[in-house]
């Protein structure tokens, strides 16, 4: 071998990470030969020898690859391989045996061994290469398994979260349309602490609510679902309107994980024949009315958030002008983004300005909530960080 090829080989060996190997072999002579073969390859390694399966179990910590002989004092054949694989964790396991049996090799690989090597048929270079390949295959297998588990968890979570988003419980009387929108602020999440619901009671009353549990994690999502379900149950049970939010606050205070958790809500009871609504807001942004070609916030009397100091939420009576209007209810995640690269928030006034833009007025009502979020994202210089829930309740032309 030339001096140049030797230098290249040493350089290549220097670039390799040190391979930590556990040899499970009860024959001292064979153990010595394995060490010599590894040294012959001039690759960095750290070899530990165990003479039994019991001893091997104690020395697995930090090991990347295990070389296993199938004839041990306390484990024999495939049964010994199964026992080692059960405790090997993330270590790759290769069989190194004197048995040149193709069927046994196939069975060993089928059981989970990364390779099947026969003593006397491998040199040092082939042995170290096989071990490194085995380690990389094991890492790839582990990564694929973790990815698959993550995908399954994500798919299961997505199915669960989609199932928890409500379907409006209403009829098509009076030409009322409802366009819901929801986007979680947490990465890869479909459901956050915001919630909404729509329930029609009788022929003439439409109950709507949009709420926001502080935070936007899994715990807040679960609490938001509990509050939504509780609100729907209260409405369907015929609880008087002025008692619904106090009852909802009781649910919040009994179910929250910490005393610091609170919720804001905006609710409305729309009297369809009379074309009017009773609005209650507890620490929440005011609804916005679109009517007569303009958008304006409802001048509500705001109560305090739910969960701090139980206090009745004042009611505000709202008269709609004509029979072409929309009522936009939303959570503060929509209006807390920045505008135009500055530190100024969009806020309610900015939202009304967006709704008054020609592009917004040209959007069909079913597309308007998604357009608003996309526009808020753009003005914010990136996606909004908080959950966003919206309900757009429309009558007639909607504006």
């Amino acid at each position: 071998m030339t001096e140049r090829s030797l230098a290249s080989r040493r350089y290549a060996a220097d670039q390799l990470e040190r391979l930590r190997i556990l040899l499970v072999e009860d024959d001292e002579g064979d153990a010595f030969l394995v060490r010599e073969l590894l040294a012959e390859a001039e690759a960095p390694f750290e070899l530990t020898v165990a003479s039994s399966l019991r001893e091997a179990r104690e020395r697995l910590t930090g090991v990347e690859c295990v070389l296993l002989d199938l004839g041990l004092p306390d484990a024999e054949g495939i049964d010994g391989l199964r026992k080692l694989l059960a405790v090997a964790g993330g270590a790759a396991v290769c069989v190194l045996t004197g048995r040149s049996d193709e069927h046994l090799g196939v069975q060993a690989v089928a059981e989970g061994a990364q390779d099947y090597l026969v003593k006397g048929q491998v040199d040092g270079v082939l042995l170290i290469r096989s071990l490194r390949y085995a380690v990389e295959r094991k890492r790839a297998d582990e990564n694929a398994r973790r990815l698959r588990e993550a995908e399954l968890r994500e798919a299961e979570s997505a199915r669960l979260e989609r199932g928890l988003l409500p379907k409006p419980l209403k009829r098509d009387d009076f030409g009322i349309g409802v366009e819901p929108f929801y986007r979680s602020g947490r990465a890869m999440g479909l459901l956050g602490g915001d919630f909404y619901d729509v329930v029609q009671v009788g022929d003439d009353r439409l109950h709507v609510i949009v709420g926001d549990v502080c935070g936007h994690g899994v715990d807040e999502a679960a609490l938001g679902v509990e509050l939504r379900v509780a609100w729907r149950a209260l409405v369907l049970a015929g609880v008087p309107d002025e008692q619904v939010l106090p009852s909802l606050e009781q649910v919040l205070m009994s179910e929250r994980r910490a005393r610091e958790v609170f919720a804001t809500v905006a609710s409305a009871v729309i009297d369809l024949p009379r074309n009017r609504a009773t609005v209650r807001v507890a620490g929440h942004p005011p609804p916005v009315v679109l009517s007569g070609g303009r958008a304006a916030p409802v001048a509500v009397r705001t109560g305090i958030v739910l969960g701090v100091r139980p206090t009745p939420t004042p009611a505000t009576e709202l008269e709609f002008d004509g029979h072409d209007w929309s009522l936009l209810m939303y959570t503060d995640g929509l209006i807390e983004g920045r505008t135009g690269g500055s530190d100024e928030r969009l806020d309610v006034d900015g939202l009304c300005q967006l709704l008054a833009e020609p592009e917004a007025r040209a959007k069909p009502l079913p597309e308007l909530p998604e357009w608003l979020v996309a526009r808020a994202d753009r003005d914010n210089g990136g996606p909004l960080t908080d959950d966003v829930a919206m309900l757009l309740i429309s009558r007639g032309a909607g504006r």
Side-chain angles (χ1 to χ4, degrees):
M1 186 176 292
T2 65
E3 183 176 344
R4 181 176 179 180
S5 63
L6 283 171
S8 299
R9 181 172 169 179
R10 290 192 193 97
Y11 175 80
D14 290 342
Q15 306 312 302
L16 295 173
E17 61 177 301
R18 181 174 294 274
L19 191 60
R20 295 184 293 276
I21 306 166
L22 173 63
L23 173 63
V24 189
E25 172 64 72
D26 64 330
D27 188 306
E28 293 183 3
D30 285 349
F32 174 79
L33 289 175
V34 169
R35 187 181 294 275
E36 289 298 304
L37 287 173
L38 293 172
E40 173 190 302
E42 298 184 5
F45 70 92
E46 180 182 317
L47 182 67
T48 303
V49 180
S51 59
S52 67
L53 190 61
R54 180 186 61 79
E55 188 178 345
R57 290 193 184 101
E58 300 171 356
R59 300 189 177 186
L60 279 168
T61 304
V63 168
E64 295 169 303
C65 187
V66 181
L67 267 175
L68 173 68
D69 182 32
L70 292 182
L72 298 171
D74 56 351
E76 181 71 22
I78 292 298
D79 184 59
L81 173 62
R82 292 193 187 107
K83 291 178 179 177
L84 180 63
L85 287 169
V87 296
V93 176
C94 295
V95 172
L96 181 62
T97 180
R99 306 177 188 180
S100 181
D101 185 333
E102 183 177 348
H103 295 293
L104 184 62
V106 170
Q107 186 179 359
V109 172
E111 290 287 342
Q114 293 292 326
D115 210 340
Y116 184 90
L117 306 171
V118 180
K119 296 175 183 178
Q121 296 184 10
V122 291
D123 59 15
V125 174
L126 178 58
L127 179 59
I128 199 72
R129 183 186 300 157
S130 296
L131 297 184
R132 289 198 179 278
Y133 288 175
V135 168
E136 293 306 318
R137 281 196 300 273
K138 182 67 175 180
R139 288 173 179 170
D141 290 346
E142 286 293 305
N143 289 337
R145 179 184 62 81
R146 292 191 189 99
L147 177 61
R148 180 59 179 160
E149 289 177 352
E151 289 173 344
L152 289 173
R153 286 195 299 269
E154 182 180 347
E156 183 178 355
S157 176
R159 286 194 298 271
L160 175 63
E161 292 181 340
R162 277 194 295 268
L164 292 174
L165 288 174
K167 294 180 174 60
L169 185 61
K170 64 174 286 293
R171 297 187 294 276
D172 293 329
D173 305 336
F174 298 96
I176 297 294
V178 176
E179 303 298 338
F181 179 90
Y182 200 102
R183 190 179 75 180
S184 171
R186 62 189 174 94
M188 300 177 66
L190 297 180
L191 196 64
D194 293 5
F195 59 95
Y196 66 82
D197 206 351
V198 178
V199 173
Q200 184 172 343
V201 176
D203 297 327
D204 55 358
R205 289 163 65 83
L206 189 69
H207 296 251
V208 294
I209 189 171
V210 170
D212 182 0
V213 177
C214 63
H216 49 269
V218 176
D219 290 332
E220 290 76 17
L223 183 55
V225 170
E226 290 182 79
L227 294 178
R228 181 191 68 77
V229 172
W231 177 85
R232 177 174 283 204
L234 291 165
V235 170
L236 290 175
V239 173
D241 297 344
E242 66 276 8
Q243 296 179 19
V244 170
L245 292 188
S247 299
L248 197 66
E249 186 169 35
Q250 290 181 352
V251 175
L252 167 67
M253 296 175 71
S254 65
E255 296 295 330
R256 61 188 177 184
R257 58 181 173 80
R259 291 172 58 89
E260 295 77 20
V261 176
F262 62 88
T264 69
V265 296
S267 69
V269 182
I270 304 174
D271 188 329
L272 300 174
R274 296 182 179 180
N275 203 34
R276 59 182 297 172
T278 301
V279 180
R280 289 180 172 86
V281 171
H284 201 86
V288 172
V289 175
L290 288 73
S291 180
R294 58 188 296 269
V298 178
V300 292
R301 299 167 58 204
T302 303
I304 67 172
V305 299
L306 304 185
V308 174
R309 187 177 68 252
T311 306
T313 302
T316 300
E317 299 300 325
L318 171 65
E319 298 277 353
F320 294 109
D321 294 331
H323 286 78
D324 294 310
W325 52 262
S326 290
L327 182 67
L328 178 65
M329 303 176 70
Y330 54 93
T331 54
D332 60 4
L334 177 64
I335 60 173
E336 287 188 337
R338 300 185 303 274
T339 59
S342 68
D343 291 332
E344 185 178 348
R345 296 194 321 165
L346 177 64
D347 222 330
V348 180
D349 290 341
L351 175 61
C352 292
Q353 291 173 13
L354 285 183
L355 289 166
E357 289 186 1
E359 187 178 356
R361 295 173 62 181
K363 284 288 176 184
L365 291 175
E367 300 176 15
L368 185 57
E370 188 170 357
W371 179 86
L372 283 173
V373 172
R375 180 61 185 273
D377 284 342
R378 191 184 77 184
D379 291 349
N380 187 52
L384 302 169
T385 58
D386 201 359
D387 307 324
V388 178
M390 270 188 280
L391 280 176
L392 183 65
I393 301 97
S394 303
R395 188 169 198 171
R399 40 203 159 184

